[in-house]
Amino acid sequence: MVTMLGGVRGRTRWLLALLLLAVAGALIALALSWRPAIAPIAPPAPGSFAPEQVARGAMLAKLGDCAVCHTREGGRPLAGGRPLATPFGTLYSDNLTPDPETGIGNWSAAAFRRAMQDGVSRSGAHLYPALPYEHFTHVRDADLDALYAFLMTRRPVREAAPANRLIFPLGFRPLLAGWKLLFLHHGETPVDPMRSSEWNRGAYLVEGLGHCGGCHTPRNLAGGEIRSQAYAGGIAEGWRAPPLDTSNPAARTWTQEALVTYLRTGISPDHSAAAGPMGPVVESLSQVPEGEVRAIAAYIVSRMGGSPAAPIPPLPDHADAAARAFPEGAVLFAGACAGCHGPGAPMLGQGRPLLSLATVLRDTDPTSAAQAVLQGIEPPIAGRGPKMPGFADTLTDRQVAAVLGYLRARYTDQPDWKKLSAAVAKARKEGAQP
């Protein structure tokens, strides 16, 4: 009996010790994650900002696509509330107008810089990395101050964002402090003295405010960018963001001129047309000085490598073999697609890319090809450029897969995509998310 009681007391002491260690660890973690609030200010008068600083901030806001994420469908610009689907649940973007109750009207410039560089709100709460502060942390203070000046001179809109809907326990914001220890890397983008000023400007914009890697870099299970695979391709809003490195699947090598045209108009006749999340990016970049876009293009093209002087291979068109391999796809193409994409179609030869040049058909991942068929393509700039209706309501997953299999076999020399019907079903589901 004495032995048994002694054993019970021993186990109890061990359990109490473990409990105390757990509590101590939790308290230490909370202490490490704590950030102080920054005192609120009275909303500054719009006239207190220099006009040239506000104008520069407006341009930087376009380069950063601020309004794209911070404007809900049918909502006021920058008033937030747009749902952002993630693997961890749905986040809603914040109100960036200078409303003191629901926006950032009582934020100082220092509070704004901390949010952009450290992912911490004025109140001290950690922000979710849907705000890509792992890129914005590389933006210089002067540019952040200009962006702040632009936002604080917008019309205030009183509109609170809906509550986030995240899987448990990710709604507990102090956990984000651990995420930042792993994935938030401070410091300006290094200047390469061996490169031109244009290239270095492009590196600063792409790695910082442009946050291109946020979509074009794969992410790990924790949602952090895999830095060793920078620009190797990623997923954005259910679409595949293609690689911007040497694995880019374009049929013809991108040149700076071709990429400038694409980024400012949404179309490159020798490559592809902008679709999905890339459309709003093009719409924004069409409104900034061309020199900024040329700098972005110079940097990205250098990452993709290749020699523009390389021989251009003949464009494939294996119509007979593709029809034998995918007879249903051939019939569907003839009925639904050939009027615009078939030989002799009126749309061909008018600056629109041929299907044999379409990057989505050459990619190793069929996601964007599936989304283009399901959702269609809208011209990103005032109705200019190619337009394609979506077939989500008229074609089944099996039929879309048949068309895609046929297109891949006919217009590329790449191997067939595997499990296409499942990929189409997944794309349809993700395309329907908020």
Side-chain angles (χ1 to χ4, degrees), residues 152-210:
M152 298 302 276
T153 53
R154 300 308 92 198
R155 184 186 299 275
V157 178
R158 180 160 299 190
E159 184 173 331
N164 297 323
R165 295 184 283 111
L166 297 171
I167 60 176
F168 180 83
L170 299 181
F172 186 58
R173 290 179 182 261
L175 292 174
L176 292 167
W179 190 94
K180 293 174 187 177
L181 286 174
L182 295 173
F183 305 118
L184 181 58
H185 306 279
H186 292 86
E188 289 192 8
T189 304
V191 174
D192 187 343
M194 303 302 294
R195 297 281 192 169
S196 67
S197 59
E198 181 180 64
W199 185 94
N200 278 292
R201 175 65 177 171
Y204 171 72
L205 293 175
V206 169
E207 300 293 344
L209 204 56

Side-chain angles (χ1 to χ4, degrees), residues 202-261:
Y204 171 72
L205 293 175
V206 169
E207 300 293 344
L209 204 56
H211 63 284
C212 302
C215 292
H216 291 272
T217 295
R219 294 180 179 270
N220 55 35
L221 293 177
E225 292 180 23
I226 304 175
R227 302 184 77 196
S228 62
Q229 300 177 36
Y231 300 100
I235 296 294
E237 300 180 35
W239 291 70
R240 157 83 163 170
L244 299 182
D245 59 10
T246 55
S247 65
N248 182 271
R252 291 180 178 171
T253 303
W254 280 98
T255 64
Q256 184 183 16
E257 292 299 328
L259 190 52
V260 168
T261 299

Side-chain angles (χ1 to χ4, degrees), residues 63-117:
L63 286 168
D65 277 336
C66 301
V68 174
C69 286
H70 289 273
T71 305
R72 65 175 174 82
E73 186 175 357
R76 296 281 294 276
L78 298 169
R82 180 183 176 184
L84 305 170
T86 78
F88 314 105
T90 301
L91 295 164
Y92 291 87
S93 60
D94 292 321
N95 185 339
L96 294 186
T97 74
D99 176 65
E101 299 297 328
T102 63
I104 61 171
N106 59 8
W107 286 39
S108 64
F112 180 75
R113 286 195 298 270
R114 184 174 73 167
M116 295 289 280
Q117 295 177 329

Side-chain angles (χ1 to χ4, degrees), residues 118-156:
D118 297 328
V120 179
S121 75
R122 186 199 64 76
S123 67
H126 290 277
L127 299 171
Y128 289 97
L131 173 70
Y133 45 75
E134 71 266 43
H135 290 275
F136 295 163
T137 193
H138 306 310
V139 181
R140 300 181 187 112
D141 286 354
D143 282 345
L144 292 178
D145 288 346
L147 188 55
Y148 173 79
F150 166 72
L151 294 174
M152 298 302 276
T153 53
R154 300 308 92 198
R155 184 186 299 275

